[in-house]
Amino acid sequence: MSDDLFEFTAVRRVYAVMGSPVAHSKSPMIHTLFSRQTGIALEYTAIHVDPGGFTAAVRNFHANGGTGLNVTLPFKAEAYRLADGHSDRAIRAGAANTLRLDDDGNVFADNTDGAGLVTDIVDNAGVSLEGRRILLLGAGGAARGVLGPLLDARPAAVVVANRTIGRAAELARDFSTFGNVSSSGFGALGKDAFDVIINATSASLAGDMPPVPVQCADGAALAYDMMYASEPTVFMQWASGAGAAGVCDGIGMLVEQAAESFLLWHGVRPRTAPVLETLRNGASTAGE
């Protein structure tokens, strides 16, 4: 028997990812690979949920033996609200991407997005965040979900930049007690230089690039796009051309956040390197 494959446990539990759309999701593949690696038997499917039907879908899944859910757009805020208990990182984000459905009928919410991002940057890309100046592009749910863990990594400063400055300012205020975080419009960034730039906008999905001055990326240790595709995203191409030393897409974040969900459900954190290698060999579309 391979060192990477163990005998399956006797009890097979049922998990799923819910979203709209969700047919593109790589989560079933990821958790199936985790299952084979750890020997923890499970079933994992993707469930499309129409807007307005999320809470009922979760209750039905739970009532029929479901034991855990990953949640993707547009339901992360609703997943947080329906839960009976919350992790500290879910409370800070005000959103949940992971639900544990307990036998007593309670639902526990967690948010593993930020932990997945930080692990991918620090452990996989080998870029320390401590003492660094970080530029976070976007002020929506994706940015809110990762800002807390980014500040936990003790950067020198995080600047949240957004097309609508009011949203960036609100996000910075909400997290001001956790570290040195400020806000800016894209145009107001001027010639500021950053060590790490993280694109938390969805612009890459449409082939667009936020209007960030090229000086911001000149000499950056890493430019990280939370989206991913089969080819380098527009943001990654822009950062490379602007002088960033390294660029990375978000497929590693996807795998690392999934490992955090797996840990919550099973008490075991699977090794992510072989799963990431498998996905990188077949990545084609963005999503969870």
Side-chain angles (χ1 to χ4, degrees):
M1 181 183 301
S2 167
D3 291 339
D4 295 335
L5 190 64
F6 298 91
E7 294 290 349
F8 281 110
T9 56
V11 178
R12 183 179 297 273
R13 296 199 164 200
V14 181
Y15 301 85
V17 56
M18 288 187 177
S20 178
V22 78
H24 64 283
S25 176
K26 295 187 182 297
S27 292
M29 176 189 295
I30 292 171
H31 284 274
T32 296
L33 293 170
F34 287 164
S35 170
R36 293 173 182 171
Q37 179 193 128
T38 61
I40 296 174
L42 58 85
E43 296 177 12
Y44 192 109
T45 59
I47 300 174
H48 176 89
V49 178
D50 291 325
F54 178 72
T55 297
V58 172
R59 301 300 185 201
N60 182 63
F61 183 77
H62 197 177
N64 285 280
T67 47
L69 285 169
N70 287 125
V71 181
T72 186
L73 297 175
F75 301 119
K76 292 183 180 182
E78 189 173 353
Y80 177 84
R81 292 193 296 268
L82 70 77
D84 303 289
H86 307 82
S87 68
D88 288 342
R89 54 194 183 185
I91 291 172
R92 284 199 290 179
N97 74 331
T98 303
L99 298 177
R100 188 186 67 210
L101 310 178
D102 296 333
D103 292 339
D104 61 5
N106 287 329
V107 176
F108 181 81
D110 196 4
N111 192 311
T112 67
D113 284 332
L117 172 65
V118 171
T119 298
D120 193 37
I121 292 175
V122 175
D123 293 349
N124 297 338
V127 176
S128 173
L129 297 175
E130 185 173 357
R132 300 296 186 101
R133 281 178 48 81
I134 299 174
L135 175 60
L136 180 63
L137 305 179
R144 180 173 291 272
V146 302
L147 183 51
L150 284 173
L151 291 169
D152 289 343
R154 300 192 298 176
V158 175
V159 176
V160 179
N162 193 55
R163 197 178 302 271
T164 305
I165 181 61
R167 294 191 67 187
E170 179 184 2
L171 182 57
R173 283 195 302 270
D174 288 347
F175 284 81
S176 61
T177 59
F178 300 108
N180 182 11
V181 56
S182 61
S183 60
S184 175
F186 290 134
L189 290 169
K191 297 182 179 180
D192 291 347
F194 294 88
D195 301 303
V196 175
I197 304 178
I198 299 168
N199 181 24
T201 76
S202 59
S204 292
L205 298 179
D208 295 330
M209 173 64 205
V212 180
V214 294
Q215 293 90 341
C216 292
D218 188 14
L222 179 68
Y224 190 103
D225 198 338
M226 287 170 55
M227 302 297 108
Y228 68 86
S230 57
E231 301 293 334
T233 66
V234 171
F235 170 79
M236 294 167 67
Q237 295 175 46
W238 168 84
S240 293
V247 295
C248 190
D249 65 17
I251 198 167
M253 173 183 171
L254 176 66
V255 174
E256 297 295 346
Q257 65 82 18
E260 290 287 322
S261 297
F262 197 92
L263 174 63
L264 175 69
W265 295 331
H266 305 290
V268 175
R269 196 183 197 284
R271 292 184 298 109
T272 54
V275 177
L276 181 55
E277 182 180 2
T278 298
L279 262 68
R280 284 209 181 277
N281 288 336
S284 60
T285 57
E288 295 179 63

